Amino acid sequence: MLLFDLSYRFLPRPRLLLLCGVAFGAALVSIVDGGQLHVGMTEPAIAQPLPTSPSPTPSILSPTQMPVGAATVQQGAQITLNGRSIAVPWMQWRSPTGDRRTGITDAGLQSIMGIQFLNTDNVAQQPFQWFASKASLPTRLTSSLRYLDITDLAQQAGWQVQATPETLQIVTPAAKVMGIRQSKQSWGDRWVIEVDRSIPWQTDFQGQELVLTLEAQIDPALVQPLKPNSGTDRQSLKLESISTHQSRLRLTLPAGLRPRVWSTSAPDRIVVDIRPDSLVEQNILWAPGLRWRQQIVTVGNRLMPVQWLEVNPRQPGLSMKPIVPNPTSMLGTAPLAQTATQNQVAAAINGGFFNRNRQLPLGAIRQDGQWLSGPILNRGAIAWDTSGNTLFDRLTLQETLMAGNGQRLPLTHLNSGYLQAGIARYTNHWGSTYTPLSDNEIVVTVQTNQVSQQQAIAKAGTTSVPIPTDGYLLVLRSNQTAASLLPPGTPLQLESATNPPTFNQFPHIIGAGPLLIQNSQIVLNPQAEGFSQAFITEMAPRSAIGQTANGTFLLVTAYSRLDGTELSLMDMAQLMQQLGAIAALNLDGGSSSTLFLGGEVRDRPPRTAARVHNGIGIFLAPNP
C-alpha cells in the first residue's frame, strides 16, 4: 500500500541510481532499493523551471507561426475541464490548409493547465515547459487577448478537445497521485507531488492558504491521517479527493512566504516551493511594442519582487489612453480588470486618486483633448500624445470667468470630487446631472456662454441638476458674494490655462503624485503636492509610470520587499530609477495597485484588487 510518508517511501521499483543536486547547493547521490529512498531532510535538487534570459525556440512540437488572417470558426468564454466549468476565453479557426486549430488565452492556459512560460523575444511564438514537454505555441493576437494554439500540445498530451457553440470541452487522460513528500530547505519548505503522468493543475489563494487542484485521482491512503512522529508538518496540509478525475491539496502558507509551483519529469512531479523569493523572472514579448516582465530587483541593498510592462509608444497599432469605468459619468468605481475589459484594452495599470466613499476623481484625467476631471493641489501628472512625446511635471489648471460687468472670477476646480470654498465648474463629462456634494451650494446653469438660472440647494445629495450639453454648471461653495455677480442673463467668457503651459498641448493626461523623477533625478517632494503626513510616511504597495531614455514607458507595480516590509515613496522612486526611468510618477497605491494584461490581473490574486476610478490602458490594433 502506498503511504503518505515524508521519510520518502515510495512504491517498490527496481534498484536505481539517482544523481541529484541539492537546491542551490552541492550534489548528492541516493540509492532507491526496495521502495526506500534514503535521503536527509534536504530535498534533492530539481531542475529549475524557468530560465532568466530569452530562450531559443524549442522544436519538440515543431510549431509554425500563426497565419495572419486565419478565419475564426467559433469562440467562447467558458471551458469545461474534466466536467468542471471554468471561465476562460477560447477560439477555433481554420488554417490555410483547412485544419481546425484551437487556441486558449495565455492567462487561461497558465491558470487551468499549470503551463510555465519561458522568456522570449519572438512575438509569434510562446515557449513553454510542462513536465517533459518543452516547446513553443504559436500565438494569435486580437485587440485585447493573446491566444495560444494548443492543437499539437493537446494531441501529444492525449487531451480530448471538442467545441460546442458556447463551451470548449477538454477531457484529459485518467491519472493518479502516487506520492507526496515534504522537505525543509534553507529558504522554506518544498512539497513534491508525484503523479503517474503529465496532468493539468490549478492554483488559487484563499487568505493564507494555497489551494492546488490536480486533474488526478489521489490514492485513498494519502488522505488518511499520518502516524505520530511521521516527520511532517501535517497540520499545514489538507488532502481532498473530489472525484475520480480530481483531487485537491490545501497548504497553509507561513506569513511572508509565497509558493512557486512548477513541474518536472522523470518521474513526473509537481513541485511547490514555499519561499520569500517565489517570483520567477519573466521577460516575454507579449505583442509588438508590449513586453511583460517580472524580476526580483535589488534596491538599496534590499531585494524587491517587481512586475511591470514595457510599452513602446511609437509602435504602429499601439496606443495609450486614460480609461474610466463609466464613459458617460465621472461617478463610479470598478475593479481595473472590469474597466480594462469594457474598454477592450490589452493591458492596463491603475491610475490616479479618488474618493472611495463618493467614488469621484481627485486628480487630472484628460482623454482625447477633453478634461474629464481637472488637477488638484499642484500634484504630479504625466501627459503624452500619439507620437510618443511626454511630459512629467506638477500640474495646475487655472480657469477664470469674465462676466459682462467686467468682473473676473477665478474657478477652483473642474469636474472634481475635491471640495473647496469658491467656484467649481462641471461639464457634461461629469455626467448628465450634478448632485450637490456639500450643504448650502448655489448651482448656476450656463448655456451658450450666458447664465440661464440659479438654484440654492440646502442639503448635499439632493436635487440633481441637469448639466446642459451647450454649457456647464458653476457650483458656488461658501461664496454668496459671487452669486450676486451671476444673475440670469449675465454673459460669460471662459479663460483656461495650464501651468506649465506645455501640458495643454497634450491630448492625454493622468494626475496622481507625488512626482518621483525628472531629468534622471529624484525630485520627491510630497509636501509641495499637498499630501498628508500620514500618506507621506505610509508603507504600502506601490504603482508608478515612468519613461526610459529611449522613450519606452514603464508601468510598474511592487508590493513588498522579500523581508515582508512594504514600500515607501522613496523606495518607489529608487526602484523606478533602478529600472532605467529618467522620469516617473507615483500612481495610486495600496489595494489599488493592479497590473492587467491579456484579460487577467497578473500581479496579485484578482479578488484582492480594490475598485478604482481610473487607469491607463494600452490599446492594440488587431491583426488584419
Side-chain angles (χ1 to χ4, degrees):
M1 179 171 58
L2 180 66
L3 298 177
F4 181 101
D5 188 309
L6 299 187
S7 61
Y8 308 128
R9 285 192 289 270
F10 298 97
L11 285 171
R13 64 187 70 182
R15 183 180 180 91
L16 176 66
L17 178 66
L18 297 180
L19 178 63
C20 305
V22 178
F24 308 109
L28 58 85
V29 175
S30 298
I31 301 294
V32 178
D33 190 6
Q36 301 293 322
L37 176 59
H38 304 282
V39 299
M41 284 305 290
T42 301
E43 170 71 16
I46 300 172
Q48 293 301 301
L50 300 179
T52 57
S53 59
S55 303
T57 302
S59 57
I60 289 180
L61 297 183
S62 301
T64 56
Q65 182 171 340
M66 182 70 63
V68 174
T72 299
V73 176
Q74 58 184 333
Q75 56 188 324
Q78 206 74 17
I79 288 177
T80 61
L81 178 61
N82 297 321
R84 184 163 49 96
S85 184
I86 307 172
V88 171
W90 59 274
M91 178 187 290
Q92 287 191 329
W93 61 90
R94 293 283 183 189
S95 71
T97 61
D99 296 334
R100 179 175 291 207
R101 312 297 292 183
T102 300
I104 298 176
T105 59
D106 58 351
L109 194 59
Q110 279 189 310
S111 66
I112 69 172
M113 296 297 179
I115 283 176
Q116 304 146 262
F117 291 160
L118 307 180
N119 298 339
T120 182
D121 288 326
N122 183 356
V123 73
Q125 301 283 335
Q126 178 54 64
F128 74 95
Q129 183 171 343
W130 186 68
F131 294 97
S133 297
K134 189 175 183 181
S136 284
L137 301 174
T139 65
R140 189 181 196 196
L141 193 65
T142 69
S143 60
S144 57
L145 299 173
R146 187 177 74 144
Y147 291 89
L148 302 182
D149 185 348
I150 66 164
T151 310
D152 296 335
L153 173 63
Q155 183 177 5
Q156 182 191 61
W159 304 344
Q160 298 177 31
V161 179
Q162 182 176 359
T164 69
E166 297 180 353
T167 303
L168 185 71
Q169 298 175 351
I170 301 177
V171 177
T172 63
K176 289 185 178 181
V177 176
M178 308 300 293
I180 303 174
R181 65 183 185 271
Q182 177 194 27
S183 66
K184 297 292 184 181
Q185 306 289 326
S186 60
W187 36 257
D189 286 346
R190 167 169 287 174
W191 295 84
V192 178
I193 304 154
E194 283 207 16
V195 290
D196 65 350
R197 63 175 300 129
S198 305
I199 65 166
W201 80 85
Q202 305 91 47
T203 59
D204 189 20
F205 297 96
Q206 298 177 5
Q208 281 300 114
E209 189 174 62
L210 167 67
V211 180
L212 181 63
T213 301
L214 308 173
E215 299 302 316
Q217 185 179 23
I218 195 165
D219 192 291
L222 297 181
V223 185
Q224 299 302 316
L226 293 179
K227 297 178 181 179
N229 303 318
S230 61
T232 178
D233 180 13
R234 183 64 174 85
Q235 292 183 351
S236 67
L237 175 68
K238 297 177 182 177
L239 304 174
E240 303 171 7
S241 179
I242 303 174
S243 68
T244 57
H245 247 105
Q246 291 155 353
S247 55
R248 183 173 294 146
L249 284 74
R250 296 179 179 271
L251 276 172
T252 301
L253 303 176
L257 300 183
R258 303 297 287 175
R260 177 190 296 180
V261 187
W262 47 287
S263 63
T264 188
S265 59
D268 287 332
R269 293 172 289 183
I270 297 171
V271 182
V272 183
D273 288 342
I274 311 296
R275 54 192 301 159
D277 57 340
S278 60
L279 186 72
V280 175
E281 178 182 333
Q282 291 208 307
N283 185 344
I284 293 173
L285 186 61
W286 195 88
L290 177 57
R291 185 178 292 274
W292 170 30
R293 299 197 62 181
Q294 59 184 36
Q295 185 178 323
I296 296 177
V297 179
T298 301
V299 179
N301 297 322
R302 291 187 175 182
L303 297 176
M304 187 181 300
V306 185
Q307 302 194 44
W308 74 99
L309 301 175
E310 296 178 357
V311 182
N312 179 2
R314 296 180 178 86
Q315 173 69 41
L318 182 150
S319 60
M320 188 169 79
K321 292 184 181 183
I323 56 175
V324 293
N326 186 350
T328 63
S329 172
M330 286 295 96
L331 172 63
T333 59
L336 182 66
Q338 178 180 322
T339 301
T341 301
Q342 287 175 186
N343 284 271
Q344 296 185 316
V345 302
I349 193 170
N350 63 286
F353 301 103
F354 56 98
N355 183 300
R356 291 195 182 275
N357 293 328
R358 290 178 169 155
Q359 302 181 42
L360 296 174
L362 296 174
I365 310 172
R366 192 177 193 186
Q367 182 188 75
D368 295 321
Q370 301 293 321
W371 286 108
L372 306 187
S373 180
I376 66 172
L377 298 170
N378 193 37
R379 287 183 173 172
I382 174 179
W384 68 95
D385 62 20
T386 56
S387 300
N389 301 305
T390 59
L391 176 62
F392 287 79
D393 209 337
R394 298 181 180 96
L395 168 65
T396 58
L397 173 67
Q398 183 57 62
E399 292 194 321
T400 304
L401 286 174
M402 294 178 294
N405 53 17
Q407 292 287 334
R408 294 178 63 87
L409 302 174
L411 305 183
T412 59
H413 297 96
L414 170 64
N415 290 344
S416 181
Y418 187 80
L419 303 185
Q420 182 179 335
I423 306 174
R425 187 166 78 97
Y426 293 87
T427 72
N428 55 14
H429 291 296
W430 180 260
S432 59
T433 63
Y434 168 81
T435 302
L437 302 178
S438 60
D439 293 343
N440 301 312
E441 292 184 351
I442 298 174
V443 181
V444 178
T445 302
V446 178
Q447 294 178 273
T448 60
N449 298 318
Q450 182 173 294
V451 176
S452 60
Q453 66 172 334
Q454 283 191 16
Q455 299 179 65
I457 303 175
K459 201 70 177 171
T462 62
T463 317
S464 295
V465 180
I467 300 177
T469 57
D470 59 349
Y472 48 85
L473 299 182
L474 300 174
V475 177
L476 283 56
R477 301 183 178 115
S478 302
N479 195 342
Q480 299 290 333
T481 303
S484 64
L485 302 175
L486 297 169
T490 303
L492 296 174
Q493 289 185 345
L494 180 68
E495 290 182 348
S496 181
T498 60
N499 184 30
T502 315
F503 265 110
N504 205 41
Q505 301 173 10
F506 291 91
H508 307 303
I509 298 175
I510 281 286
L515 195 66
L516 299 176
I517 300 173
Q518 275 185 311
N519 301 319
S520 301
Q521 303 297 315
I522 293 177
V523 294
L524 184 62
N525 189 352
Q527 294 87 350
E529 299 184 25
F531 288 101
S532 68
Q533 190 61 31
F535 176 88
I536 293 170
T537 59
E538 182 182 22
M539 304 291 285
R542 302 284 177 187
S543 301
I545 183 169
Q547 191 172 36
T548 66
N550 65 6
T552 299
F553 284 117
L554 305 175
L555 281 58
V556 182
T557 61
Y559 289 83
S560 64
R561 306 180 184 95
L562 288 189
D563 63 11
T565 58
E566 294 177 331
L567 281 63
S568 68
L569 291 169
M570 181 56 74
D571 289 332
M572 199 63 187
Q574 292 173 341
L575 170 61
M576 296 302 290
Q577 203 172 48
Q578 183 77 10
L579 294 179
I582 62 170
L585 173 72
N586 185 66
L587 301 173
D588 191 10
S591 59
S592 295
S593 292
T594 312
L595 196 65
F596 174 91
L597 176 67
E600 295 286 341
V601 173
R602 300 286 183 152
D603 63 332
R604 67 187 305 158
R607 68 171 64 90
T608 69
R611 301 170 70 90
V612 298
H613 182 274
N614 57 84
I616 301 172
I618 309 301
F619 293 79
L620 296 178
N623 288 333

